[in-house]
Every structure is written in C-alpha cells, then in structure tokens.
Amino acid sequence: MIVLKGAEVSARIKAEVQQMLEGLGGRIPRLAIVRVGERPDDLSYERGAMKKMEAFGLEAKSYGFPETISDARFKEEFRKINEDPEVTGILLLKPLPKHICEKDIENMIDPKKDLDGISPANIAKVFAGDPSGFAPCTAEAVVEVLKANEIPIAGKRAVIVGRSMVVGKPLAMLLIKENATVTICHTKTVDLPGTCRNGEILVAAAGRAKMLNEEYVSPGAVVIDVGINVDNDGKLCGDVDFGSIETQAAMATPVPGGVGTVTTAVLARHLVQAAG
Ligand code: NAP
C-alpha cells in the first residue's frame, strides 16, 4: 500500500501560493482566526494554521474570546473583524458555544473573506459547481490529495462516510464536479461495510476512531482519511484502522500527516486568492 503523505501535496501548494504572492506587489494577506473558548482541538487547529501561514510567508492573527461572551457582544466583535480592511480572510473555529447563533455568523461573514466556505453564498457556489467562491478547505483538500497524486476521479465510484456541511456534503459536490459517481453514507446507512466496499475511492469523515477496517475496503481502493480523533491510548488517529487495511488498499492517507496538513495549505491558498 502506498502511503499518501500530506506534506508533499502541501509543498506543491506552497509553491503555488508563493507564485500568487508575487502578483500582489508586496502586499501580505492577513488571516484572522476567530475562536470562542479554549477547546483543545480548536487550539491545536489554530496553532497548525498559524504555523502554516508563517511557513507560507503569510500573516495570521488570533482573535480569542471567552466562552462566556454573550451572543450580542460576539456578533459586535465579529462585525469589527469582518469589516476590518486589514483582515483579508477569516477562519471561524466551530462549533461555537450553544448560546451563540452560528447561523447568524454564517450569514454575516463577508463571502469574499469566508475562506472556509461557511456562508450561504459560498455553499451555493459549491453546490452549483461554480469555482469562483471558497469551498470548505477540508473538502477541497481531499480533491487536492487525489489530483496531486494523479489518482483518476472521473468515472470512479467514490464513497464518503459522513454528511456534514464541512466535509461530506461539499466533498460530494466537488467529486461530482470531477465526474465521480458519489455515494454518501451516514449513521442510517444499511450495510455500511458493503456500501464502502463498493468505493474505488473511499473517504472516511465520520469522526469515529479507527472505525473503518479491512471489512470496509475493497482490494485496490484509494482510502482518504479525514478523521481526527484520539484513540484509547490518547494518541491522534483517523477514522481508518490503518494497519488493518494495508493489504487491501492500494493507497491511503495517514493520520496524522495526511489530509490535515493539506487543509491548512488550502486555507493559505484561499487567503492569497482573497487578496487578489
Ligand atoms: P460531524 O459533523 O460529526 O459529522 C460526522 C458524520 O459522520 C455525520 O454525517 C454522521 O452521520 C456520520 N457518522 C458518524 N458515525 C457514523 C457511523 N458509525 N456510521 C456511519 N456514519 C457515521 O463531523 P465532521 O465535522 O464532518 O468531521 C468528521 C471528522 O473529520 C472528525 O473526526 C473531524 O475531527 C475531522 N475533520 C478533519 C479536518 C481535517 O482538516 N482533516 C477538518 C474538519 C473535520 P449522521 O449525519 O447520520 O449523524
């Protein structure tokens, strides 16, 4: 089984970003990372995104707010960031605490600064196959991994486990745009292993540690693991039981070191696009 490392894909995107930066005449785009509370996974994603922006020669600033901030106050603070001409693009770490209306923020965010495709305008573009908006970075990262490794998508059966608005659904649209035949699975899917085995490309985005084993993978399949979980020993792991699929799959992305690093590279590319 070939291990599809995210670092190689990220390096290609970095070269692309540097070329795009040259066209900005010395202007350095700035990312605003907006976080409410201090959830460990948010902090870890924030650290990764800050490091990546720096490595790509871009600026990033973190805007952290206490978990107790009121809905009205947060909206006021968010409005300021959204309207700040110094802010080129925004990454909102989600989910927000329950007392803050996430929908309102999704409606407020300027689609031109909405680097992770959460606004209705950008979502509509993804579903319409219109590339002029921003798709959610993780969904785009999956397509990027396939393309960078010259894995054919057109005409292939792609099976996605997960139907969230950040990964499963937008990814289905991006893969359809690439002419794949797409099946989306979820918790009510009957015979999940059998349905997954039908996939020539299998994408795991369920958020269940090591759930997909050899029973779910057909011989020669390409397996892309989007999951970021912690296993029983407290170690970072994906949705795929990596060891058990080694003799079945042709190729697979590891966790860590797979899709995650490509996601932040795509975020960087979106940031430079937003500045253009
Ligand atoms: P989510 O909103 O919790 O959605 C999970 C989806 O998986 C749901 O549609 C759910 O089905 C389905 N699912 C859960 N358990 C299942 C099961 N046992 N059988 C079949 N389907 C099942 O999660 P998300 O935000 O999409 O994230 C998914 C994973 O990707 C998480 O591990 C997350 O940490 C990771 N992630 C990674 C990146 C990255 O950059 N690599 C970025 C974002 C997220 P129902 O709809 O029926 O509930």
Side-chain angles (χ1 to χ4, degrees), residues 127-147:
F127 277 66
D130 174 350
S132 71
F134 293 118
C137 297
T138 308
E140 191 171 321
V142 171
V143 177
E144 202 68 40
V145 169
L146 295 171
K147 285 188 172 173

Side-chain angles (χ1 to χ4, degrees), residues 71 86 138:
D71 179 68
E86 301 286 308
T138 308

Side-chain angles (χ1 to χ4, degrees), residues 197-240:
R197 278 199 305 272
N198 193 39
E200 294 163 288
I201 297 168
L202 174 62
V203 183
R208 298 280 178 270
K210 300 184 185 175
M211 176 189 141
L212 304 192
N213 57 25
E214 74 275 23
E215 217 198 318
Y216 294 71
V217 177
S218 65
V222 175
V223 181
I224 310 291
D225 192 352
V226 174
I228 301 175
N229 316 292
V230 176
D231 69 10
N232 292 336
D233 304 325
K235 277 174 62 184
L236 206 64
C237 73
D239 287 357
V240 175

Side-chain angles (χ1 to χ4, degrees), residues 113-174:
K113 295 186 178 186
D114 170 28
L115 306 185
D116 206 18
I118 61 171
S119 66
N122 279 322
I123 292 168
K125 285 183 176 178
V126 171
F127 277 66
D130 174 350
S132 71
F134 293 118
C137 297
T138 308
E140 191 171 321
V142 171
V143 177
E144 202 68 40
V145 169
L146 295 171
K147 285 188 172 173
N149 288 286
E150 294 177 2
I151 295 161
I153 306 174
K156 298 294 175 192
R157 293 185 304 276
V159 176
I160 303 167
V161 185
R163 57 175 164 183
S164 75
M165 282 301 283
V166 280
V167 194
K169 284 182 188 167
L171 174 59
M173 294 303 129
L174 297 180

